[in-house]
Amino acid sequence: MKKILILLSAIIAMAPVCHSQIQKPSVMVVPDSTWCIDNGFAITSPTGVAPDFNRFIAETPQWDIVVSELNERINNRGLDTVDLKRVLVSHGQDSIYSASGADLILYLSWDIEKMGPRSSATVYLKALDRTNGKEAARLTRKGFPSINSNTTTLVKNVIYENIDLFYSELYGYYNAKLMSACQQTPRPR
């Protein structure tokens, strides 16, 4: 009985330590770099070709609406979001990832497929852990064909219908990261 009480006390004592090491991540949604470049939103520099996020956001009106909806869903899950446009204004494009302070970079892109009078969207989401570069979650889903050909509505519907799958994978990644951090925590003596 005494051993059980000591073990229980140790677990309770370590819980705050483990919890404080891993906090809920903050998220910044950015357009997928390859998608930007493939669609002509690119900057050529001596180091190579990079996505032109400023031009992409300025010339893609659907982006603001879709990201606003996605950020709202992320915030409703208790995670903080970082606004890409604010980071671009204050820090420029070269240092957005480090300047954002976001723990996760969520790359978003979509394709619209027209099938006669109907259209459907395929949405691609990929979350990378900025601290270690590992993929935290990925979602590729195609929406149902619809007579509504509004890109914003099609993309928002796919996100709405499938975001729980994405969060499930994301939380699985962070739970594993939490368990790993707890296992590496020095034990009280």
Side-chain angles (χ1 to χ4, degrees):
M1 181 69 163
K2 188 175 180 182
K3 287 182 180 181
I4 293 174
L5 287 175
I6 292 171
L7 179 63
L8 209 53
S9 297
I11 291 171
I12 291 170
M14 288 190 54
V17 173
C18 293
H19 180 70
S20 67
Q21 286 183 346
I22 304 290
Q23 298 174 356
K24 288 185 179 180
S26 58
V27 179
M28 182 172 68
V29 181
V30 300
D32 181 73
S33 300
T34 304
W35 187 47
C36 285
I37 293 168
D38 288 350
N39 286 293
F41 299 101
I43 301 170
T44 305
S45 69
T47 58
V49 179
D52 186 347
F53 292 138
N54 284 310
R55 197 171 126 235
F56 174 83
I57 291 169
E59 296 179 19
T60 310
Q62 304 93 341
W63 178 258
D64 283 339
I65 298 167
V66 170
V67 170
S68 175
E69 177 80 16
L70 184 55
N71 281 343
E72 183 179 325
R73 297 203 179 282
I74 292 168
N75 289 330
N76 288 343
R77 300 289 176 125
L79 304 178
D80 292 328
T81 54
V82 177
D83 183 16
L84 172 63
K85 286 169 64 171
R86 286 188 188 149
V87 175
L88 286 169
V89 167
S90 57
H91 295 282
Q93 184 163 320
D94 293 335
S95 62
I96 62 167
Y97 300 114
S98 58
S100 72
D103 301 305
L104 288 172
I105 306 300
L106 180 57
Y107 295 96
L108 169 65
S109 63
W110 62 76
D111 290 322
I112 303 298
E113 182 181 349
K114 296 193 183 280
M115 302 159 283
R118 296 182 179 267
S119 299
S120 69
T122 302
V123 173
Y124 309 93
L125 287 171
K126 180 173 71 171
L128 288 184
D129 185 337
R130 195 177 61 81
T131 60
N132 60 20
K134 291 183 179 177
E135 185 174 297
R138 177 185 294 260
L139 176 78
T140 301
R141 288 288 185 270
K142 183 174 184 173
F144 297 108
S146 172
I147 293 176
N148 183 346
S149 62
N150 179 304
T151 298
T152 305
T153 303
L154 293 170
V155 172
K156 283 171 47 176
N157 286 343
V158 174
I159 290 171
Y160 179 77
E161 292 165 1
N162 296 286
I163 200 70
D164 289 334
L165 294 170
F166 185 73
Y167 282 126
S168 174
E169 190 175 339
L170 186 63
Y171 281 120
Y173 172 82
Y174 267 89
N175 283 338
K177 192 172 179 178
L178 173 64
M179 294 306 295
S180 174
C182 286
Q183 290 172 355
Q184 294 171 6
T185 301
R187 296 180 182 213
R189 294 178 190 228

